[in-house]
């Protein structure tokens, strides 16, 4: 007898925020989640540690070609109402899109127009993929703009996020008397624009920048960092709230960032955010002057002006007061309801 599902999710890795989202969806829908691989070595162990209270499997196949063939065989053996494909950057995703009926096909769009090619041969290839898709689950405004620029004419659903972070009770308003400690959390890699950040803090010796994470640029960044930049290395996800709450401002200076879940985590911990205009969620979650500030990713003048504004204690505490009024439960539920 053929198995029947409401939704089949085909995705690359079991990131914790996706596992949490699938678990909530599984409370109301019969789902199957198919992963292409179990994970990557460039993440903390707990990045993949989350309950899986839903049916799941890892797609067999030692090569992308074998996985694509296995994906076709597997999908043809099942009945399902919707196939949600986790992007267009894997051969198995393409195989799924072309072997499954277009009316059943959906794609998760977490890339944005800010870092994606929308003209030329690469854009043409994306348009071919989207011709097999009837629905696009887009994280936010910048992701919707991408599919519009690619000429997608199907149904567009704004989810408001890329998954469910490990939420704590929303932090209550806590007045602070000075703004001194800044925090970055993430990979230490070129797209995060950390050389720009570290060099900017050379001009802010009275402030401290705490850096949490690891990656290929670690030695290079340590070599150029001043005494006011402190590297903490890898930190378990469960310990991150302590870091957020000890600091005054969270900074994400990326020159390429499709979304930026760490921004949501910071706000959940009551911390105002300072993000570049290349961060995908900046157009969706960060309200300039209300819960944080947005600066031009390659302008030190823009960055330092934002820092000076955040050092105005009245302005800063107004941000904290606004953040304390967030309702993350409703925000989370809206994302789940999209599916």
């Amino acid at each position: 007898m053929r198995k029947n599902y409401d939704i089949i999710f085909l995705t690359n890795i079991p990131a914790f925020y996706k596992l949490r989202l699938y678990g909530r969806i599984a409370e109301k829908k019969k789902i199957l989640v198919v992963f292409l691989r179990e994970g990557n070595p460039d993440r903390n162990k707990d990045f993949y540690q989350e309950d899986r209270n839903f049916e799941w499997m890892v797609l067999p196949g030692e090569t992308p070609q074998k996985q694509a063939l296995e994906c076709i065989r597997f999908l043809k053996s099942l009945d399902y109402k919707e196939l949600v494909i986790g992007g267009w950057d894997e051969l198995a995703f393409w195989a799924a899109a072309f072997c499954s009926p277009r009316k059943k096909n959906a794609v998760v769009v977490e890339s944005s127009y800010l870092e994606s090619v929308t003209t030329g041969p690469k854009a043409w290839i994306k348009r071919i993929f989207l011709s097999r898709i009837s629905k696009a689950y887009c994280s936010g405004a910048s992701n919707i703009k991408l599919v519009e620029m690619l000429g997608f004419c199907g149904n567009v659903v704004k989810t408001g996020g890329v998954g469910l972070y490990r939420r704590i009770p929303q932090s209550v308003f806590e007045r602070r008397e000075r703004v001194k400690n800044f925090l970055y959390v993430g990979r230490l890699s070129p797209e995060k624009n950390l050389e720009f950040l570290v060099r900017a803090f050379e001009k802010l010796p009275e402030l401290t920048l705490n850096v949490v994470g690891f990656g290929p640029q670690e030695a290079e960044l340590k070599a150029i960092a001043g005494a006011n930049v402190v590297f903490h290395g890898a930190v378990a996800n469960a310990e991150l709230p302590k870091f957020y709450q000890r600091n005054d401002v969270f900074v994400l200076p990326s020159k390429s960032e499709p979304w930026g879940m760490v921004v949501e985590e910071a706000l959940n911990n009551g911390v105002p955010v300072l993000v570049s205009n290349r961060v995908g969620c900046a157009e969706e979650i960060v309200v300039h002057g209300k819960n944080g500030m947005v600066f031009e990713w390659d302008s030190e003048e823009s960055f330092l002006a934002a820092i000076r504004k955040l050092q105005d204690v009245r302005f800063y505490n107004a941000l904290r007061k606004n953040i304390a009024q967030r309702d993350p439960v409703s925000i989370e539920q809206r994302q789940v309801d999209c599916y």
Side-chain angles (χ1 to χ4, degrees):
M1 184 177 176
R2 290 164 66 91
K3 285 191 173 182
N4 189 289
Y5 297 95
D6 293 315
I7 308 174
I8 296 176
F9 289 95
L10 178 64
T11 190
N12 46 20
I13 56 174
F16 73 89
Y17 51 89
K18 295 292 187 186
L19 298 178
R20 293 173 66 83
L21 176 62
Y22 300 145
R24 289 285 299 279
I25 295 168
E27 294 173 4
K28 297 290 180 69
K29 298 285 186 178
K30 185 178 181 183
I31 73 170
L32 170 66
V33 182
V34 182
F35 301 108
L36 299 189
R37 58 193 71 90
E38 268 288 9
N40 296 321
D42 60 346
R43 295 284 191 175
N44 285 5
K45 273 188 178 180
D46 67 348
F47 187 82
Y48 305 105
Q49 292 173 351
E50 195 67 44
D51 292 339
R52 304 184 189 187
N53 56 340
F54 48 82
E55 192 174 340
W56 65 277
M57 63 172 286
V58 177
L59 191 66
E62 302 81 25
T63 65
Q65 293 80 4
K66 288 183 179 179
Q67 276 202 324
L69 290 172
E70 182 62 28
C71 185
I72 294 170
R73 184 201 66 77
F74 181 67
L75 287 174
K76 288 186 178 297
S77 71
L78 301 173
D79 289 320
Y80 52 91
K81 296 176 183 176
E82 185 173 60
L83 171 66
V84 180
I85 304 170
W88 47 57
D89 59 344
E90 301 275 2
L91 190 58
F93 293 167
W94 282 76
F98 277 84
C99 80
S100 176
R102 180 185 177 278
K103 65 181 180 181
K104 293 185 178 183
N105 292 347
V107 66
V108 174
V109 181
E110 293 174 359
S111 298
S112 78
Y113 76 95
L114 295 167
E115 90 289 339
S116 295
V117 175
T118 56
T119 59
K122 289 185 178 180
W124 179 73
I125 291 170
K126 293 172 188 175
R127 289 188 178 98
I128 292 174
F129 182 90
L130 289 173
S131 72
R132 296 292 308 157
I133 302 297
S134 64
K135 183 190 293 184
Y137 290 103
C138 298
S139 306
S142 62
N143 316 92
I144 292 173
K145 187 171 180 178
L146 171 61
V147 295
E148 289 175 346
M149 293 172 74
L150 291 171
F152 181 66
C153 298
N155 184 22
V156 175
V157 178
K158 185 170 76 171
T159 64
V162 296
L164 308 183
Y165 59 92
R166 290 168 175 145
R167 178 172 52 80
I168 64 169
Q170 181 65 40
S171 292
V172 298
F173 171 62
E174 174 194 290
R175 180 179 173 80
R176 296 200 175 174
E177 299 305 322
R178 64 175 183 168
V179 179
K180 182 180 186 299
N181 297 306
F182 290 70
L183 173 69
Y184 167 83
V185 176
R187 278 178 51 73
L188 311 187
S189 51
E191 73 277 5
K192 302 297 185 178
N193 204 22
L194 295 174
E195 183 178 343
F196 169 94
L197 182 63
V198 168
R199 292 196 184 282
F201 266 79
E202 288 180 4
K203 299 182 178 180
L204 301 165
E206 76 282 10
L207 305 180
T208 300
L209 172 64
N210 291 292
V211 177
V212 170
F214 62 96
Q217 276 196 306
E218 185 168 350
E220 176 187 342
L221 293 170
K222 286 180 175 178
I224 64 171
N228 64 333
V229 180
V230 182
F231 292 85
H232 297 271
V235 172
N237 200 280
E239 297 299 311
L240 285 178
K242 296 177 185 176
F243 279 85
Y244 286 120
Q245 292 169 27
R246 286 175 191 157
N247 285 274
D248 303 308
V249 178
F250 174 77
V251 187
L252 188 59
S254 307
K255 54 186 172 184
S256 176
E257 189 78 47
W259 184 250
M261 181 173 285
V262 282
V263 174
E264 296 180 82
E265 291 178 341
L267 292 172
N268 183 217
N269 282 273
V271 185
V273 297
L274 174 57
V275 305
S276 84
N277 60 346
R278 301 302 294 267
V279 173
C281 72
E283 294 185 26
E284 193 65 34
I285 291 175
V286 182
V287 182
H288 187 76
K290 295 294 183 182
N291 59 10
M293 299 282 286
V294 180
F295 70 94
E296 296 173 25
W297 72 274
D298 58 349
S299 169
E300 188 176 84
E301 182 182 353
S302 175
F303 178 77
L304 293 176
I307 293 281
R308 287 193 291 272
K309 182 67 175 175
L310 287 164
Q311 287 183 288
D312 177 341
V313 175
R314 286 185 61 186
F315 174 76
Y316 173 79
N317 281 307
L319 298 183
R320 291 187 68 91
K321 198 165 188 177
N322 291 336
I323 293 168
Q325 295 168 2
R326 289 177 77 246
D327 182 5
V329 178
S330 295
I331 295 170
E332 185 177 273
Q333 188 59 49
R334 283 197 297 272
Q335 187 176 168
V336 174
D337 289 345
C338 288
Y339 294 91

